[in-house]
Amino acid sequence: MDLFFDKTAIIGVGLLGGSAGLALKAKGICGKVVGLGRSRTSVDTALAMGAIDEAAANLVEAVEGADLIIVCTPVGSIAGIIADMESMLDEDCIVTDVGSTKRNIVDAVEQVPRARTRFVGGHPLAGSERKGVQFASAELFEGATILVTPTPATDISATAKVQAMWERLGGRVLVIDPVAHDHIVARTSHLPHVFAALLVTCLRSMSQENVRLMGKGFLDTTRIASSDPEMWADICTNNVDEIQEAIFSLRKDLEEFEICLNEGDYERILEFFEAAKRMRDSLNNEINSE
Amino acid sequence: MDLFFDKTAIIGVGLLGGSAGLALKAKGICGKVVGLGRSRTSVDTALAMGAIDEAAANLVEAVEGADLIIVCTPVGSIAGIIADMESMLDEDCIVTDVGSTKRNIVDAVEQVPRARTRFVGGHPLAGSERKGVQFASAELFEGATILVTPTPATDISATAKVQAMWERLGGRVLVIDPVAHDHIVARTSHLPHVFAALLVTCLRSMSQENVRLMGKGFLDTTRIASSDPEMWADICTNNVDEIQEAIFSLRKDLEEFEICLNEGDYERILEFFEAAKRMRDSLNNEINSE
């Protein structure tokens, strides 16, 4: 497969967009990288870091003549941006994104005739609680799982090219249905973010002095509560039903735990923690064995 | 202050008991260390590691002639063990423990005439999700916060000695009321353990294949779900009312979040994540500035 992109357009030059630019160039699989950013500062930083070669003044300038477009803007804006670029898309251009939710985006893009066959949804499980292009790195995707979500409408060759691109950047690509994607990440990512924030919120009535009386466990458990609030408000409002369902399921388990607690039922509380430990330990084994 | 203990008795030779033995000896502030353990394996390992010098066959043998007793057994058993040793306690012996809850223990020991003045409750914020004396280390308490919970009944000199002992082992000692202790750790430690386990439990209906689709965030957030189930069942059943109250408070915040989610109220969800981030970031500053 010819894996070289003459002109790559990166829409949204933040941590992921900047890292994609750096990684594509480091692997030598792209010509010119053109970036479009919301803020002058991000664009200037991306230029200075060499994450992009040129800054585009607008979407037309960015997209014109591109054979690869990676949309790295907040999830709520991705489908709209793809609809906006429809008339400018070159015949052989492929389009992907890095949004943390997929159903809304894929469903909306399916309504955009000139984009629906060439758009391949993507979601790199990479990033961090740090925000901004200044933290971008050519190695961000090395060893990261990249979820790719084509539909029956997607060109097979477009999917193959996006998959090959991520693999060259070091990612382990898994192809998954967009509906299954949103179901799973609601439980493995969105729910933990909500509860990390809730656990931190629980400290609000405590004095600064008392808050210091915590061990490493609290800090680990709530690390992701330092993530970008705009990104997480955006993600939550784009996966409402799955997050609601996941909360509903957790709440049922919580209620059962509370009954055991109220009854001082040591045995059942022990079983609860034992089952959780078995499951959590198996994840360690899973990951260490890779 | 004369900080030397001729005979130290360690009741319960696990991670904390073993580490206390190793640390006391490394700092040269003890003579003989005698250990009493539940399992032959733990005791043998503790002997082989030099965490204890002798294994006691029973409580009488362990406690006889000791001037320092550290009870490192599960929280639910500590007060009973101290009551059992009442008649054997030497006049100048001091007794402390490492239990993660304090009210129940302190309240019960206050009813034990020969122990109440010389017992000083302790809780090192040290340890890990790994269990057992084989992970013990002389450095476990270096830089760790040690919560010490004397009451008006406690001899001032006993408190001073326990405090000095922990400081020599590298701990930062904070003296705190046992009621305040249990209120705070319910929120900074017990609640996070319960919710880490609940978040892991939420994956139970997912296939092993799908569970792999998770980022580093999930693993960090749920690391403590690998902790010792017996220890956590024990802790929860010894701090029921405070954990119930903390869950009640978290649930109210959760319900508010769900209303916002249901209404698609981006602005209020953003505020929720922003407030949590501010609080969480301030903890990083707190800890980095030390």
Side-chain angles (χ1 to χ4, degrees):
Chain A
M1 182 191 303
D2 167 35
L3 197 65
F4 189 88
F5 305 99
D6 291 314
K7 178 182 171 182
T8 302
I10 294 177
I11 315 299
V13 285
L15 177 69
L16 290 170
S19 297
L22 289 171
L24 285 165
K25 290 166 80 174
K27 300 293 180 185
I29 57 169
C30 70
K32 188 169 62 172
V33 177
V34 177
L36 179 65
R38 249 198 314 194
S39 87
R40 193 65 234 174
T41 321
S42 299
V43 171
D44 286 346
T45 307
L47 281 167
M49 295 170 74
I52 59 174
D53 300 306
E54 282 176 25
N58 51 51
L59 195 61
V60 181
E61 233 181 80
V63 167
E64 202 163 48
D67 47 357
L68 172 64
I69 299 170
I70 311 179
V71 186
C72 305
T73 59
V75 286
S77 68
I78 293 173
I81 288 172
I82 294 173
D84 288 344
M85 64 176 70
E86 180 182 13
S87 63
M88 321 164 198
L89 292 174
D90 261 22
E91 199 54 55
D92 62 345
C93 177
I94 60 171
V95 184
T96 186
D97 76 316
V98 299
S100 299
T101 68
K102 293 267 73 76
R103 273 178 312 163
N104 286 1
I105 295 167
V106 168
D107 286 353
V109 174
E110 299 257 301
Q111 310 308 315
V112 182
R114 297 197 65 236
R116 66 194 294 264
T117 58
R118 64 185 88 200
F119 174 72
V120 186
H123 176 201
L125 300 184
S128 76
E129 69 277 18
R130 295 181 304 179
K131 182 196 182 184
V133 70
Q134 64 273 25
F135 297 113
S137 146
E139 283 82 45
L140 189 72
F141 308 108
E142 293 287 351
T145 298
I146 314 286
L147 306 176
V148 168
T149 62
T151 70
T154 316
D155 270 350
I156 290 171
S157 64
T159 305
K161 215 158 182 179
V162 165
Q163 177 161 357
M165 187 266 291
W166 284 115
E167 281 167 356
R168 278 294 286 279
L169 304 193
R172 294 185 313 134
V173 172
L174 289 165
V175 173
I176 183 171
D177 174 80
V179 173
H181 171 278
D182 282 14
H183 176 82
I184 295 166
V185 295
R187 287 150 183 82
T188 59
S189 171
H190 307 173
L191 203 62
H193 270 88
V194 172
F195 280 88
L198 286 167
L199 286 168
V200 169
T201 303
C202 263
L203 303 188
R204 81 184 142 211
S205 61
M206 283 167 56
S207 72
Q208 201 60 11
E209 174 77 2
N210 289 347
V211 163
R212 292 174 60 196
L213 311 187
M214 59 177 58
K216 193 170 161 297
F218 186 87
L219 298 177
D220 280 355
T221 307
T222 61
R223 183 181 61 80
I224 55 177
S226 278
S227 304
D228 178 15
E230 285 185 20
M231 178 173 157
W232 282 96
D234 195 32
I235 289 173
C236 289
T237 47
N238 275 281
N239 200 19
V240 169
D241 57 344
E242 286 291 353
I243 296 175
Q244 283 176 325
E245 201 187 294
I247 290 174
F248 183 81
S249 153
L250 185 144
R251 197 207 308 275
K252 271 175 61 181
D253 292 329
L254 174 61
E255 278 163 11
E256 213 173 301
F257 177 83
E258 284 181 288
I259 291 170
C260 301
L261 198 62
N262 196 37
E263 293 172 353
D265 190 338
Y266 175 89
E267 286 307 323
R268 280 181 63 206
I269 294 176
L270 178 60
E271 279 166 30
F272 164 72
F273 282 116
E274 278 174 345
K277 179 177 168 57
R278 270 196 303 277
M279 174 80 90
R280 183 61 183 79
D281 287 351
S282 78
L283 301 181
N284 274 339
N285 297 341
E286 191 72 39
I287 280 152
N288 293 335
S289 69
E290 274 163 20
Chain B
M1 182 191 302
D2 168 36
L3 196 66
F4 189 89
F5 305 101
D6 291 315
K7 178 183 169 181
T8 303
I10 294 177
I11 315 300
V13 285
L15 176 70
L16 290 169
S19 297
L22 289 171
L24 285 165
K25 290 166 80 174
K27 300 292 180 184
I29 57 170
C30 70
K32 188 168 63 172
V33 178
V34 177
L36 179 65
R38 248 196 315 191
S39 89
R40 193 65 235 173
T41 321
S42 298
V43 171
D44 287 345
T45 308
L47 281 167
M49 295 171 74
I52 59 174
D53 300 305
E54 283 176 24
N58 51 49
L59 196 60
V60 181
E61 234 181 80
V63 167
E64 203 163 49
D67 47 357
L68 172 65
I69 299 169
I70 311 180
V71 186
C72 305
T73 59
V75 287
S77 69
I78 293 172
I81 288 171
I82 293 172
D84 288 345
M85 63 175 70
E86 180 182 15
S87 64
M88 322 161 196
L89 291 174
D90 261 23
E91 199 54 55
D92 62 346
C93 177
I94 60 171
V95 184
T96 186
D97 77 317
V98 299
S100 300
T101 68
K102 294 267 74 76
R103 272 179 313 163
N104 285 1
I105 295 168
V106 169
D107 286 353
V109 175
E110 299 257 300
Q111 310 306 317
V112 183
R114 295 197 65 239
R116 65 194 295 265
T117 57
R118 64 185 89 199
F119 173 73
V120 187
H123 175 201
L125 300 185
S128 76
E129 68 279 17
R130 294 180 305 179
K131 181 194 182 184
V133 71
Q134 65 272 26
F135 298 112
S137 146
E139 283 82 44
L140 189 72
F141 308 109
E142 294 287 351
T145 298
I146 314 287
L147 306 177
V148 168
T149 62
T151 71
T154 317
D155 269 350
I156 289 170
S157 65
T159 305
K161 216 158 181 177
V162 166
Q163 177 160 356
M165 186 267 289
W166 284 116
E167 280 167 357
R168 277 295 284 280
L169 304 193
R172 292 185 314 134
V173 172
L174 288 166
V175 173
I176 183 171
D177 174 79
V179 175
H181 172 276
D182 282 14
H183 176 82
I184 295 166
V185 295
R187 287 150 184 84
T188 59
S189 170
H190 308 174
L191 202 62
H193 270 87
V194 172
F195 280 89
L198 286 167
L199 286 169
V200 169
T201 303
C202 264
L203 304 189
R204 83 185 140 211
S205 62
M206 283 166 56
S207 73
Q208 202 60 11
E209 173 77 2
N210 288 347
V211 162
R212 291 173 61 196
L213 311 188
M214 58 178 58
K216 194 170 162 294
F218 187 87
L219 297 176
D220 280 355
T221 307
T222 61
R223 183 181 62 80
I224 56 177
S226 278
S227 304
D228 178 16
E230 285 186 19
M231 178 173 156
W232 281 97
D234 196 31
I235 289 172
C236 288
T237 47
N238 275 281
N239 201 19
V240 170
D241 56 345
E242 286 290 354
I243 295 174
Q244 283 175 326
E245 202 186 295
I247 291 174
F248 183 81
S249 151
L250 185 143
R251 196 207 307 275
K252 273 176 56 182
D253 292 330
L254 174 60
E255 278 161 10
E256 212 171 303
F257 177 82
E258 284 181 288
I259 291 169
C260 301
L261 198 61
N262 197 36
E263 294 173 354
D265 191 338
Y266 176 90
E267 286 306 324
R268 280 180 64 205
I269 294 177
L270 178 62
E271 278 165 30
F272 164 72
F273 282 116
E274 278 173 345
K277 178 176 169 58
R278 270 195 304 276
M279 175 79 92
R280 182 61 183 77
D281 287 349
S282 78
L283 301 179
N284 273 340
N285 296 339
E286 192 71 38
I287 280 152
N288 294 336
S289 69
E290 271 165 18

